[in-house]
Amino acid sequence: MSSKPKIAVIIGSTRPTRLADKPAQWILKQAQARDDLEVELVDLRDHPLPFFDEMASNLWMPSQNPEAVRWQQTVGRYDGYIFVVAEYNHSITGVLKNALDQAYKEWNRKPFTVIGYGGTGAARAVEHLRSIGVELQMVSTHAGVHIGGSDFMTIFPMGGNKPVEEIEANLLPSAKTALDELVWWAKATMAAKAADL
Ligand SMILES: Cc1cc2nc3c(=O)[nH]c(=O)nc-3n(C[C@H](O)[C@H](O)[C@H](O)COP(=O)(O)O)c2cc1C
């Protein structure tokens, strides 16, 4: 059995003309190039969740909606997460917030990092995500990847519409640090959970 952390790249935007695929595919490629983790793409488009309509979080009782249960099973398969973060009105997208709300136990004591994009590299949305993560008993990496300013305009469809590779020299150092930290925390939390058994 592999002891490498299993990591999900979770795409936080589902709109048909989303930009999200560009940063998602780029960070997926960076993660796949490493030999210290296993990574898969998780697209919220494949999880058509209702707006949260349960009696309570699944901390308190099992969820009823089959899509919510399926989503919890998906989240539970991973040891850590890379969120692909769009910034909508200075926060995360509604669809990502709903997906975060639709699980609880499955997020607990697991790490996450981010690749954010927007005018300020989604810095404000990422800070919101980090405080949501505290409530979900998650640990955020210190580092994250932020595609902002002219880099964002270079890849933005209504800007230069270039591939992320065009600006990747600016992203590679933070991507390496963010993924190094993610693996460290994933191994640490996996070991602590194993010791608890
Ligand atoms: C409803 C909405 C709100 C937005 N608010 C912000 C914002 O607060 N800051 C920002 O940098 N970009 C903002 N944008 C622009 C997005 O960064 C840009 O549309 C990006 O492509 C969104 O990601 P997506 O295409 O993957 O959904 C907003 C876009 C939308 C649709």
Side-chain angles (χ1 to χ4, degrees), residues 18-172:
R18 70 185 179 190
L19 166 64
D21 293 295
K22 283 185 176 181
Q25 290 297 331
W26 186 82
I27 198 69
L28 179 69
K29 189 172 75 174
Q30 305 312 311
Q32 282 172 334
R34 299 174 64 109
D35 61 10
D36 57 354
L37 57 83
E38 291 174 9
V39 65
E40 291 175 354
L41 202 62
V42 172
D43 194 336
L44 294 181
R45 283 180 181 164
D46 299 327
H47 288 275
L49 294 158
F51 280 126
F52 188 94
D53 58 359
E54 302 293 332
M55 293 277 285
S57 138
N58 77 341
L59 171 67
W60 299 103
M61 62 178 70
S63 299
Q64 299 298 307
N65 189 289
E67 280 299 334
V69 173
R70 191 171 72 86
W71 172 240
Q72 290 159 10
Q73 289 166 347
T74 297
V75 173
R77 281 203 286 275
Y78 299 97
D79 304 305
Y81 310 91
I82 303 167
F83 291 110
V84 181
V85 181
E87 183 169 280
Y88 283 10
N89 297 316
H90 291 196
S91 189
I92 60 172
T93 61
V95 75
L96 178 57
K97 179 62 165 64
N98 189 50
L100 289 159
D101 293 342
Q102 292 277 10
Y104 186 82
K105 293 183 290 189
E106 296 78 9
W107 298 118
N108 288 181
R109 298 181 175 180
K110 293 182 187 171
F112 67 95
T113 193
V114 297
I115 180 164
Y117 52 97
T120 62
R124 296 159 295 213
V126 166
E127 288 307 306
H128 280 180
L129 177 60
R130 285 182 170 139
S131 57
I132 294 163
V134 170
E135 185 56 21
L136 293 172
Q137 302 187 42
M138 302 179 81
V139 56
S140 169
T141 59
H142 174 255
V145 185
H146 295 272
I147 306 174
S150 61
D151 281 349
F152 176 64
M153 289 314 294
T154 299
I155 67 162
F156 190 50
M158 286 175 276
N161 199 21
K162 296 278 196 316
V164 179
E165 283 71 14
E166 186 89 5
I167 49 137
E168 73 177 357
N170 301 332
L171 310 178
L172 284 167

